Amino acid sequence: METSEVAVMLSMSTSWVYREVSKLGLKVYKLGRGKNAKVLYKRTEVFKWLEQQKIY
């Protein structure tokens, strides 16, 4: 998933995702170098994190 997709799913801004990703425990996969690098996240990891946030 791209950062924008994660942001939409979490109802947050892309800058929030970039800032909080390490606190969330999500691994970042970077394809390419420099400004044109694409930052991706595994869909399963995002859903796993969401499951952990569930309040019973």
Side-chain angles (χ1 to χ4, degrees):
M1 298 179 76
E2 293 185 11
T3 305
S4 58
E5 294 173 307
V6 174
V8 169
M9 185 186 340
L10 300 178
S11 299
M12 300 302 238
S13 66
T14 54
S15 60
W16 182 89
V17 174
Y18 283 124
R19 189 174 58 249
E20 300 293 323
V21 71
S22 63
K23 294 177 189 174
L24 300 178
L26 297 176
K27 293 180 184 171
V28 177
Y29 299 88
K30 192 173 180 182
L31 303 176
R33 294 181 181 210
K35 290 183 178 182
N36 294 329
K38 193 171 221 177
V39 177
L40 300 173
Y41 309 88
K42 281 190 177 179
R43 186 176 304 275
T44 55
E45 291 178 3
V46 175
F47 283 117
K48 183 179 177 181
W49 178 82
L50 279 173
E51 274 296 314
Q52 293 172 349
Q53 304 312 307
K54 190 186 297 185
I55 299 174
Y56 296 98

